[in-house]
Amino acid sequence: MKNLKYISIPGFVNNNGQTFDINLSYQLFGQPLHSAPIVLVNHALTGNSNVVGENGWWNDLIGENKCIDTTYYTILAFNIPGNGFDNKQEHLIHDYKGFTARNIAQLFAEGLKQLEITELFSIIGGSVGGGIAWELAILQPNLAKHLIPIATDWKVTDWLIANCHIQEAILNNSIKPLEDARMHAMTLYRTPESLTKKFDRDQTENSVFKVESWLNYHGQNLDKRFHLPAYKLMNQILKTIDITRGRLSFKEVASAIKGHIHIITINSDLFFKADENWETYLDLKSVKKEVTIGEIKSIHGHDAFLIEFDQLSKLLNPIFEVKKQYNTVLKKAI
């Protein structure tokens, strides 16, 4: 895999006490490591570390002269171990039940340690990647100046756990597990209004509803590029996001985070509901000053963080422009 680097983490103990030798892969973009402020980007469920450049899944947000400008920042992105991005069968994790979102944050923390990174400008991630960002910020409260969880929350709800349970049942019992699980998931990533606007009950020349054809395409496409053990693992990680598990209350735990917290929610998100994000914001604001919330307005639901880039950039620009402006002034002074 182009520019893919590895960190060896032997003897990692997961939540069930099982031991694994982990190869944590990552990619770097923008400025050389340790030469500029570092932005850690956490990928979503079927994503990977290829966040920018050729086939970069967040090219609309990250890049030269983009919101997160690669001429000013170093971009670091880890692959969640077992996500199969390197296509090495030996790196897949088949015994997925013992892994949690916190375990992945622990692995990322070890990766940062081996890269000799003690400070991040920001940690940013959408969906499950944002949940891992929350977990990492609790593990290392002084690590990042800015925590930016997008379309996520510090915990999963019973409704989301229920849908992860359905996903797991499909993955374990279907004849075409990846295709069928992906089709089910796509109906949760979007909204009824989004699908109506896109398809309006139109049919193909073969009298197939276009929404059915669209679902089939996404299912078949994921089946071509993803691995079944990877999907099972990622679904398990999503289901286990909870920074309070085995700890104190949310306010007590989250108030320890030293950096600024910028919550980005989506008004139509069916996965991580906007109302829950606003409740998180109000709870945090009562114990911590450096908290903001921004809301993307969209009919597209959870996937809006991958669609509504103009809105997302406007919400994030104030965070990333400050460092750019500072660097410009500093260069002129030199």
Side-chain angles (χ1 to χ4, degrees), residues 22-33:
I22 299 292
N23 288 286
L24 179 65
S25 61
Y26 67 97
Q27 287 176 272
L28 291 166
F29 308 93
Q31 301 308 296
L33 190 61

Side-chain angles (χ1 to χ4, degrees), residues 12 14 18-23 79-84 88-99 103-104 107 227-234 236-237:
F12 177 78
N14 72 3
Q18 299 165 294
T19 301
F20 293 81
D21 293 332
I22 299 292
N23 288 286
N79 284 295
I80 293 176
N83 77 337
K88 294 185 178 181
Q89 292 293 322
E90 64 270 25
H91 292 167
L92 295 174
I93 296 173
H94 295 270
D95 195 355
Y96 62 93
K97 280 288 194 177
F99 281 87
N103 288 154
I104 305 305
L107 288 165
H227 301 267
L228 181 58
Y231 200 129
K232 290 181 178 180
L233 174 68
M234 296 300 298
Q236 168 72 10
I237 292 165

Side-chain angles (χ1 to χ4, degrees), residues 236-250:
Q236 168 72 10
I237 292 165
L238 173 62
K239 187 173 70 173
T240 56
I241 297 168
D242 183 356
I243 65 172
T244 64
R245 184 181 289 111
R247 294 172 173 153
L248 302 172
S249 69
F250 169 66

Side-chain angles (χ1 to χ4, degrees), residues 177-203:
L178 279 172
E179 290 186 37
D180 291 345
R182 183 63 166 177
M183 286 195 291
H184 169 252
M186 290 304 298
T187 65
L188 300 170
Y189 297 154
R190 299 298 177 93
T191 64
E193 294 78 11
S194 176
L195 296 184
T196 296
K197 182 177 181 179
K198 188 175 182 68
F199 302 109
D200 195 25
R201 293 177 287 108
D202 284 346
Q203 296 182 346

Side-chain angles (χ1 to χ4, degrees), residues 72-270:
Y72 290 92
Y73 295 100
T74 300
I75 312 300
L76 167 64
F78 292 119
N79 284 295
I80 293 176
N83 77 337
F85 182 51
D86 61 6
N87 285 319
K88 294 185 178 181
Q89 292 293 322
E90 64 270 25
H91 292 167
L92 295 174
I93 296 173
H94 295 270
D95 195 355
Y96 62 93
K97 280 288 194 177
F99 281 87
T100 65
R102 190 174 302 173
N103 288 154
I104 305 305
Q106 291 166 339
L107 288 165
F108 284 9
E110 177 60 26
L112 293 171
K113 179 181 178 182
Q114 292 199 33
L115 292 174
E116 298 182 346
I117 296 171
T118 57
E119 181 180 275
L120 297 171
F121 178 75
S122 68
I123 309 171
I124 183 171
S127 192
V128 66
I132 295 168
W134 270 111
E135 296 278 5
L136 182 56
I138 298 302
L139 288 176
Q140 297 190 2
N142 297 306
L143 176 64
K145 292 183 179 179
H146 300 275
L147 170 64
I148 311 171
I150 303 172
T152 190
D153 201 6
W154 59 268
K155 86 305 188 178
V156 287
T157 61
D158 292 288
W159 187 87
L160 186 46
I161 292 169
N163 278 286
C164 287
H165 181 65
I166 295 169
Q167 286 275 291
E168 186 175 21
I170 295 170
L171 292 168
N172 285 327
N173 299 310
S174 174
I175 297 174
K176 299 184 293 182
L178 279 172
E179 290 186 37
D180 291 345
R182 183 63 166 177
M183 286 195 291
H184 169 252
M186 290 304 298
T187 65
L188 300 170
Y189 297 154
R190 299 298 177 93
T191 64
E193 294 78 11
S194 176
L195 296 184
T196 296
K197 182 177 181 179
K198 188 175 182 68
F199 302 109
D200 195 25
R201 293 177 287 108
D202 284 346
Q203 296 182 346
T204 67
E205 293 179 357
N206 298 323
S207 298
V208 175
F209 282 108
K210 287 185 177 180
V211 68
E212 294 176 311
S213 179
W214 178 77
L215 289 171
N216 288 335
Y217 166 79
H218 280 283
Q220 292 163 7
N221 188 52
L222 188 73
D223 189 51
K224 292 176 183 177
R225 72 174 182 86
F226 219 67
H227 301 267
L228 181 58
Y231 200 129
K232 290 181 178 180
L233 174 68
M234 296 300 298
N235 186 61
Q236 168 72 10
I237 292 165
L238 173 62
K239 187 173 70 173
T240 56
I241 297 168
D242 183 356
I243 65 172
T244 64
R245 184 181 289 111
R247 294 172 173 153
L248 302 172
S249 69
F250 169 66
K251 288 184 182 180
E252 291 171 302
V253 173
S255 62
I257 298 173
K258 302 303 180 184
H260 292 247
I261 300 174
H262 311 270
I263 299 167
I264 307 295
T265 190
I266 301 165
N267 69 321
S268 57
D269 195 338
L270 300 178

